[in-house]
């Protein structure tokens, strides 16, 4: 994937992250981290803009320096994964789907909770 593809993804992820500020069910932090990663490969100007942004800049600094995630983001991500798994149960998903999805979500939750909490 070339610079154009990374630039496109950076804008998409930044848009989703911005929506996450307004919508409580959509997390902001992971999308902004992905936007910064893609922007660094496809648009240095956009990467600088994200780094200097009053809302996104501190979030990116916390991640780069301490690998820290805000407590709100941890709670929201774990809650949404739990609700998603419960929805699969209610909808009658196959046991294999429940096992794979549950194991994956548990691994992500363990990683997320093990990260330092950003202030």
């Amino acid at each position: 994937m070339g610079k154009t593809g990374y630039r496109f993804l950076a804008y998409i992820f930044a848009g989703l992250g911005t929506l996450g500020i307004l919508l409580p069910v959509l997390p902001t932090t992971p999308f902004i981290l992905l936007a910064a990663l893609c922007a660094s490969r496809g648009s240095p100007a956009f990467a600088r803009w994200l780094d200097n942004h009053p809302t996104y800049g501190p979030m990116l600094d916390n991640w780069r320096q301490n690998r820290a995630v805000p407590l709100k983001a941890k709670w929201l991500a774990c809650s949404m994964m739990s609700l998603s798994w419960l929805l699969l149960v209610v909808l009658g998903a196959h046991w294999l789907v429940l096992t794979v999805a549950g194991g994956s979500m548990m691994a992500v939750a363990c990683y997320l909770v093990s990260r330092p909490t950003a202030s």
Side-chain angles (χ1 to χ4, degrees):
M1 182 163 57
K3 281 189 167 198
T4 303
Y6 280 115
R7 185 177 299 139
F8 176 74
L9 287 174
Y11 292 133
I12 293 294
F13 289 138
L16 289 170
T18 301
L19 280 175
I21 293 172
L22 305 171
L23 302 172
V25 296
L26 193 64
T28 299
T29 305
F31 288 120
I32 297 303
L33 293 175
L34 286 169
L37 175 69
C38 292
S40 70
R41 295 181 176 157
S43 176
F46 187 52
R48 279 190 302 279
W49 182 83
L50 285 170
D51 287 339
N52 295 321
H53 192 275
T55 301
Y56 305 140
M59 187 185 313
L60 294 170
D61 284 341
N62 271 333
W63 179 253
R64 288 183 185 134
Q65 293 174 8
N66 307 316
R67 293 294 190 242
V69 178
L71 184 60
K72 180 182 174 186
K74 289 181 182 185
W75 276 104
L76 185 60
C78 290
S79 298
M80 289 299 113
M81 286 188 287
S82 297
L83 286 172
S84 297
W85 191 81
L86 286 173
L87 183 62
L88 288 173
V89 171
V90 169
L91 293 175
H94 190 272
W95 67 268
L96 185 59
V97 172
L98 292 173
T99 303
V100 171
S104 300
M105 291 177 194
M106 198 62 143
V108 170
C110 287
Y111 175 78
L112 195 58
V113 170
S114 73
R115 300 296 91 211
T117 300
S119 49

